[in-house]
Amino acid sequence: MKMAFIWLESPIGPLTVRADEKGITAVSFGKTDEEGMPEPRHPLLLRAASELEAYFAKKRTRFDVPVSVSGTPFQMVVWEALKKIPYGETCSYKDIAEAVGNPKAVRAVGQANRKNPVPILIPCHRVIGKDKSLTGYAGSRIDQKAFLLHLEGAMI
């Protein structure tokens, strides 16, 4: 099955969500150009749209739609650690580096965070600087990261 996509409107602007037959493969900020036609009836895309809509309405605190992502072994471990950050809470890049057993890999954690193909679903927005500052956000703007943290009630 080829890749399918839809465009969604959200409080932080348009999102492009892509999927294959296994799960969601990407969430991109903005209405990105895609080859082919959108697939508005793709079951995983419909599920992702429903879950994202509920999240933005403060009716959902976690996502159940399957994701289908690939990366380096280190990226995969970091992304799994990101999934464990509770809704409404934040942690630092150093906290994640320690959680994955490599406390000196703070910059590598930042790079893995930046390469997260499914932001929001894998909550890289919950990772902030050690000094509690908002830092770069996976292909997005800091105000979008701040919006998501505020939506979740995170103390920043």
Side-chain angles (χ1 to χ4, degrees):
M1 179 179 165
K2 65 180 184 172
M3 298 288 272
F5 73 95
I6 56 172
W7 292 306
L8 302 173
E9 290 302 321
S10 81
I12 57 173
L15 300 173
T16 302
V17 182
R18 289 182 286 288
D20 62 18
E21 67 280 354
K22 296 181 214 165
I24 303 304
T25 59
V27 175
S28 303
F29 296 93
K31 200 172 187 178
T32 62
D33 292 332
E34 300 292 330
E35 288 186 23
M37 298 293 291
E39 297 287 342
R41 293 185 304 262
H42 187 289
L44 290 172
L45 292 172
L46 289 173
R47 187 170 162 190
S50 174
E51 290 186 14
L52 284 163
E53 181 179 289
Y55 169 79
F56 285 118
K58 293 186 164 189
K59 295 179 180 173
R60 176 174 280 277
T61 60
R62 65 184 192 80
F63 296 96
D64 298 318
V65 65
V67 297
S68 176
V69 296
S70 60
T72 68
F74 183 77
Q75 288 170 337
M76 298 298 285
V77 169
V78 169
W79 298 337
E80 283 302 314
L82 298 178
K83 291 180 189 178
K84 296 176 184 170
I85 306 169
Y87 178 90
E89 294 186 23
T90 59
C91 67
S92 70
Y93 294 93
K94 182 167 180 53
D95 294 332
I96 296 296
E98 290 171 354
V100 302
N102 198 341
K104 295 186 182 206
V106 175
R107 286 190 177 155
V109 165
Q111 291 301 315
N113 225 30
R114 181 179 304 151
K115 302 244 182 206
N116 174 12
V118 288
I120 306 172
L121 301 182
I122 295 178
C124 54
H125 61 278
R126 296 179 188 153
V127 182
I128 61 175
K130 185 178 176 183
D131 63 356
K132 305 287 185 197
S133 64
L134 297 184
T135 56
Y137 183 46
S140 180
R141 301 181 321 253
I142 294 293
D143 64 315
Q144 292 168 315
K145 180 175 186 167
F147 179 92
L148 295 172
L149 292 172
H150 179 73
L151 175 78
E152 295 182 9
M155 301 297 287
I156 51 171

PDB file of all heavy atoms in Angstrom, residues 10-11 22 54-55 57 59 67-68 73 83 86 97 115 119 125-126 132 150 152:
ATOM      1  N   SER A  10      -5.901  22.787  12.863  1.00  0.00           N
ATOM      2  CA  SER A  10      -5.733  22.666  14.306  1.00  0.00           C
ATOM      3  C   SER A  10      -5.535  24.056  14.889  1.00  0.00           C
ATOM      4  O   SER A  10      -5.261  25.007  14.157  1.00  0.00           O
ATOM      5  CB  SER A  10      -4.527  21.772  14.622  1.00  0.00           C
ATOM      6  OG  SER A  10      -3.326  22.497  14.531  1.00  0.00           O
ATOM      7  N   PRO A  11      -5.606  24.176  16.206  1.00  0.00           N
ATOM      8  CA  PRO A  11      -5.374  25.483  16.831  1.00  0.00           C
ATOM      9  C   PRO A  11      -3.957  26.017  16.634  1.00  0.00           C
ATOM     10  O   PRO A  11      -3.719  27.205  16.840  1.00  0.00           O
ATOM     11  CB  PRO A  11      -5.627  25.222  18.321  1.00  0.00           C
ATOM     12  CG  PRO A  11      -6.431  23.981  18.376  1.00  0.00           C
ATOM     13  CD  PRO A  11      -6.046  23.183  17.173  1.00  0.00           C
ATOM     14  N   LYS A  22       0.642   0.250   8.338  1.00  0.00           N
ATOM     15  CA  LYS A  22       0.935  -0.119   9.731  1.00  0.00           C
ATOM     16  C   LYS A  22       0.607   0.962  10.739  1.00  0.00           C
ATOM     17  O   LYS A  22       0.333   0.666  11.890  1.00  0.00           O
ATOM     18  CB  LYS A  22       2.412  -0.479   9.873  1.00  0.00           C
ATOM     19  CG  LYS A  22       2.840  -1.690   9.096  1.00  0.00           C
ATOM     20  CD  LYS A  22       4.313  -1.930   9.354  1.00  0.00           C
ATOM     21  CE  LYS A  22       4.977  -2.488   8.132  1.00  0.00           C
ATOM     22  NZ  LYS A  22       6.419  -2.413   8.186  1.00  0.00           N
ATOM     23  N   ALA A  54      -9.676  15.394  19.568  1.00  0.00           N
ATOM     24  CA  ALA A  54      -9.999  15.224  20.989  1.00  0.00           C
ATOM     25  C   ALA A  54      -8.885  15.796  21.871  1.00  0.00           C
ATOM     26  O   ALA A  54      -9.162  16.405  22.917  1.00  0.00           O
ATOM     27  CB  ALA A  54     -10.245  13.744  21.307  1.00  0.00           C
ATOM     28  N   TYR A  55      -7.633  15.624  21.458  1.00  0.00           N
ATOM     29  CA  TYR A  55      -6.501  16.177  22.205  1.00  0.00           C
ATOM     30  C   TYR A  55      -6.610  17.703  22.273  1.00  0.00           C
ATOM     31  O   TYR A  55      -6.499  18.294  23.343  1.00  0.00           O
ATOM     32  CB  TYR A  55      -5.186  15.750  21.538  1.00  0.00           C
ATOM     33  CG  TYR A  55      -3.970  16.473  22.054  1.00  0.00           C
ATOM     34  CD1 TYR A  55      -3.368  16.112  23.260  1.00  0.00           C
ATOM     35  CD2 TYR A  55      -3.408  17.529  21.340  1.00  0.00           C
ATOM     36  CE1 TYR A  55      -2.247  16.777  23.739  1.00  0.00           C
ATOM     37  CE2 TYR A  55      -2.293  18.196  21.804  1.00  0.00           C
ATOM     38  CZ  TYR A  55      -1.719  17.825  23.005  1.00  0.00           C
ATOM     39  OH  TYR A  55      -0.613  18.497  23.471  1.00  0.00           O
ATOM     40  N   ALA A  57      -9.182  19.464  22.016  1.00  0.00           N
ATOM     41  CA  ALA A  57     -10.382  19.823  22.781  1.00  0.00           C
ATOM     42  C   ALA A  57     -10.230  19.475  24.265  1.00  0.00           C
ATOM     43  O   ALA A  57     -11.192  19.574  25.026  1.00  0.00           O
ATOM     44  CB  ALA A  57     -11.607  19.115  22.199  1.00  0.00           C
ATOM     45  N   LYS A  59      -9.912  16.566  25.563  1.00  0.00           N
ATOM     46  CA  LYS A  59     -10.673  15.364  25.883  1.00  0.00           C
ATOM     47  C   LYS A  59      -9.832  14.105  25.769  1.00  0.00           C
ATOM     48  O   LYS A  59     -10.326  13.011  25.963  1.00  0.00           O
ATOM     49  CB  LYS A  59     -11.894  15.257  24.958  1.00  0.00           C
ATOM     50  CG  LYS A  59     -12.885  16.376  25.163  1.00  0.00           C
ATOM     51  CD  LYS A  59     -14.055  16.259  24.215  1.00  0.00           C
ATOM     52  CE  LYS A  59     -15.019  17.409  24.463  1.00  0.00           C
ATOM     53  NZ  LYS A  59     -16.090  17.433  23.471  1.00  0.00           N
ATOM     54  N   VAL A  67       1.781   4.136  15.472  1.00  0.00           N
ATOM     55  CA  VAL A  67       2.737   4.885  14.661  1.00  0.00           C
ATOM     56  C   VAL A  67       3.676   3.894  13.986  1.00  0.00           C
ATOM     57  O   VAL A  67       3.919   2.799  14.504  1.00  0.00           O
ATOM     58  CB  VAL A  67       3.523   5.926  15.481  1.00  0.00           C
ATOM     59  CG1 VAL A  67       2.604   6.987  16.046  1.00  0.00           C
ATOM     60  CG2 VAL A  67       4.335   5.285  16.571  1.00  0.00           C
ATOM     61  N   SER A  68       4.158   4.274  12.833  1.00  0.00           N
ATOM     62  CA  SER A  68       5.069   3.442  12.059  1.00  0.00           C
ATOM     63  C   SER A  68       6.250   4.319  11.673  1.00  0.00           C
ATOM     64  O   SER A  68       6.235   4.975  10.633  1.00  0.00           O
ATOM     65  CB  SER A  68       4.341   2.898  10.819  1.00  0.00           C
ATOM     66  OG  SER A  68       5.211   2.157  10.002  1.00  0.00           O
ATOM     67  N   PRO A  73      18.930   3.279  15.923  1.00  0.00           N
ATOM     68  CA  PRO A  73      18.605   2.656  17.211  1.00  0.00           C
ATOM     69  C   PRO A  73      18.534   3.680  18.347  1.00  0.00           C
ATOM     70  O   PRO A  73      17.641   3.601  19.191  1.00  0.00           O
ATOM     71  CB  PRO A  73      19.739   1.647  17.419  1.00  0.00           C
ATOM     72  CG  PRO A  73      20.158   1.279  16.024  1.00  0.00           C
ATOM     73  CD  PRO A  73      20.025   2.557  15.240  1.00  0.00           C
ATOM     74  N   LYS A  83       7.639   8.989  24.886  1.00  0.00           N
ATOM     75  CA  LYS A  83       6.271   8.505  25.094  1.00  0.00           C
ATOM     76  C   LYS A  83       5.941   8.344  26.572  1.00  0.00           C
ATOM     77  O   LYS A  83       4.775   8.336  26.949  1.00  0.00           O
ATOM     78  CB  LYS A  83       6.064   7.160  24.396  1.00  0.00           C
ATOM     79  CG  LYS A  83       6.072   7.221  22.896  1.00  0.00           C
ATOM     80  CD  LYS A  83       5.867   5.818  22.360  1.00  0.00           C
ATOM     81  CE  LYS A  83       6.056   5.684  20.892  1.00  0.00           C
ATOM     82  NZ  LYS A  83       5.882   4.293  20.438  1.00  0.00           N
ATOM     83  N   PRO A  86       4.651  12.030  31.096  1.00  0.00           N
ATOM     84  CA  PRO A  86       3.201  12.175  31.310  1.00  0.00           C
ATOM     85  C   PRO A  86       2.638  13.476  30.737  1.00  0.00           C
ATOM     86  O   PRO A  86       3.322  14.504  30.681  1.00  0.00           O
ATOM     87  CB  PRO A  86       3.058  12.158  32.840  1.00  0.00           C
ATOM     88  CG  PRO A  86       4.312  11.526  33.342  1.00  0.00           C
ATOM     89  CD  PRO A  86       5.378  11.905  32.354  1.00  0.00           C
ATOM     90  N   ALA A  97      18.383  11.941  28.365  1.00  0.00           N
ATOM     91  CA  ALA A  97      19.690  11.282  28.179  1.00  0.00           C
ATOM     92  C   ALA A  97      19.942  10.288  29.312  1.00  0.00           C
ATOM     93  O   ALA A  97      20.387   9.154  29.070  1.00  0.00           O
ATOM     94  CB  ALA A  97      20.803  12.325  28.107  1.00  0.00           C
ATOM     95  N   LYS A 115      14.378  15.144  15.062  1.00  0.00           N
ATOM     96  CA  LYS A 115      14.057  14.233  13.952  1.00  0.00           C
ATOM     97  C   LYS A 115      12.785  13.424  14.194  1.00  0.00           C
ATOM     98  O   LYS A 115      12.414  12.600  13.355  1.00  0.00           O
ATOM     99  CB  LYS A 115      15.226  13.289  13.713  1.00  0.00           C
ATOM    100  CG  LYS A 115      16.503  14.011  13.399  1.00  0.00           C
ATOM    101  CD  LYS A 115      16.973  13.699  12.049  1.00  0.00           C
ATOM    102  CE  LYS A 115      18.299  14.418  11.819  1.00  0.00           C
ATOM    103  NZ  LYS A 115      18.521  14.671  10.464  1.00  0.00           N
ATOM    104  N   PRO A 119       5.627  14.441  15.743  1.00  0.00           N
ATOM    105  CA  PRO A 119       5.434  15.296  16.903  1.00  0.00           C
ATOM    106  C   PRO A 119       3.961  15.327  17.306  1.00  0.00           C
ATOM    107  O   PRO A 119       3.088  15.066  16.482  1.00  0.00           O
ATOM    108  CB  PRO A 119       5.924  16.661  16.440  1.00  0.00           C
ATOM    109  CG  PRO A 119       5.928  16.613  14.959  1.00  0.00           C
ATOM    110  CD  PRO A 119       6.120  15.178  14.582  1.00  0.00           C
ATOM    111  N   HIS A 125       7.356  17.871  22.408  1.00  0.00           N
ATOM    112  CA  HIS A 125       7.124  19.221  22.923  1.00  0.00           C
ATOM    113  C   HIS A 125       7.275  19.285  24.438  1.00  0.00           C
ATOM    114  O   HIS A 125       7.452  20.351  25.004  1.00  0.00           O
ATOM    115  CB  HIS A 125       5.736  19.733  22.507  1.00  0.00           C
ATOM    116  CG  HIS A 125       4.593  18.921  23.003  1.00  0.00           C
ATOM    117  ND1 HIS A 125       4.178  17.765  22.357  1.00  0.00           N
ATOM    118  CD2 HIS A 125       3.789  19.067  24.080  1.00  0.00           C
ATOM    119  CE1 HIS A 125       3.145  17.252  23.021  1.00  0.00           C
ATOM    120  NE2 HIS A 125       2.898  18.020  24.071  1.00  0.00           N
ATOM    121  N   ARG A 126       7.241  18.135  25.110  1.00  0.00           N
ATOM    122  CA  ARG A 126       7.357  18.097  26.569  1.00  0.00           C
ATOM    123  C   ARG A 126       8.806  18.156  27.057  1.00  0.00           C
ATOM    124  O   ARG A 126       9.051  18.165  28.251  1.00  0.00           O
ATOM    125  CB  ARG A 126       6.680  16.839  27.108  1.00  0.00           C
ATOM    126  CG  ARG A 126       5.185  16.840  26.843  1.00  0.00           C
ATOM    127  CD  ARG A 126       4.506  15.592  27.360  1.00  0.00           C
ATOM    128  NE  ARG A 126       3.113  15.574  26.902  1.00  0.00           N
ATOM    129  CZ  ARG A 126       2.399  14.476  26.726  1.00  0.00           C
ATOM    130  NH1 ARG A 126       2.932  13.292  26.993  1.00  0.00           N
ATOM    131  NH2 ARG A 126       1.156  14.554  26.300  1.00  0.00           N
ATOM    132  N   LYS A 132      14.552  25.338  32.228  1.00  0.00           N
ATOM    133  CA  LYS A 132      13.092  25.485  32.023  1.00  0.00           C
ATOM    134  C   LYS A 132      12.744  26.347  30.819  1.00  0.00           C
ATOM    135  O   LYS A 132      11.600  26.721  30.622  1.00  0.00           O
ATOM    136  CB  LYS A 132      12.381  26.031  33.264  1.00  0.00           C
ATOM    137  CG  LYS A 132      12.617  25.229  34.520  1.00  0.00           C
ATOM    138  CD  LYS A 132      11.864  23.940  34.471  1.00  0.00           C
ATOM    139  CE  LYS A 132      12.026  23.223  35.814  1.00  0.00           C
ATOM    140  NZ  LYS A 132      11.680  21.845  35.751  1.00  0.00           N
ATOM    141  N   HIS A 150       0.876  24.702  27.226  1.00  0.00           N
ATOM    142  CA  HIS A 150      -0.199  25.417  27.917  1.00  0.00           C
ATOM    143  C   HIS A 150      -1.503  24.608  27.845  1.00  0.00           C
ATOM    144  O   HIS A 150      -2.217  24.500  28.842  1.00  0.00           O
ATOM    145  CB  HIS A 150      -0.384  26.808  27.305  1.00  0.00           C
ATOM    146  CG  HIS A 150      -1.482  27.586  27.949  1.00  0.00           C
ATOM    147  ND1 HIS A 150      -1.364  28.134  29.206  1.00  0.00           N
ATOM    148  CD2 HIS A 150      -2.730  27.879  27.515  1.00  0.00           C
ATOM    149  CE1 HIS A 150      -2.507  28.739  29.515  1.00  0.00           C
ATOM    150  NE2 HIS A 150      -3.344  28.596  28.496  1.00  0.00           N
ATOM    151  N   GLU A 152      -1.853  21.483  27.771  1.00  0.00           N
ATOM    152  CA  GLU A 152      -1.738  20.365  28.699  1.00  0.00           C
ATOM    153  C   GLU A 152      -1.637  20.812  30.154  1.00  0.00           C
ATOM    154  O   GLU A 152      -1.659  19.980  31.057  1.00  0.00           O
ATOM    155  CB  GLU A 152      -0.519  19.520  28.348  1.00  0.00           C
ATOM    156  CG  GLU A 152      -0.628  18.837  27.009  1.00  0.00           C
ATOM    157  CD  GLU A 152       0.565  17.953  26.697  1.00  0.00           C
ATOM    158  OE1 GLU A 152       1.419  17.729  27.584  1.00  0.00           O
ATOM    159  OE2 GLU A 152       0.639  17.463  25.552  1.00  0.00           O
TER     160      GLU A 152
END
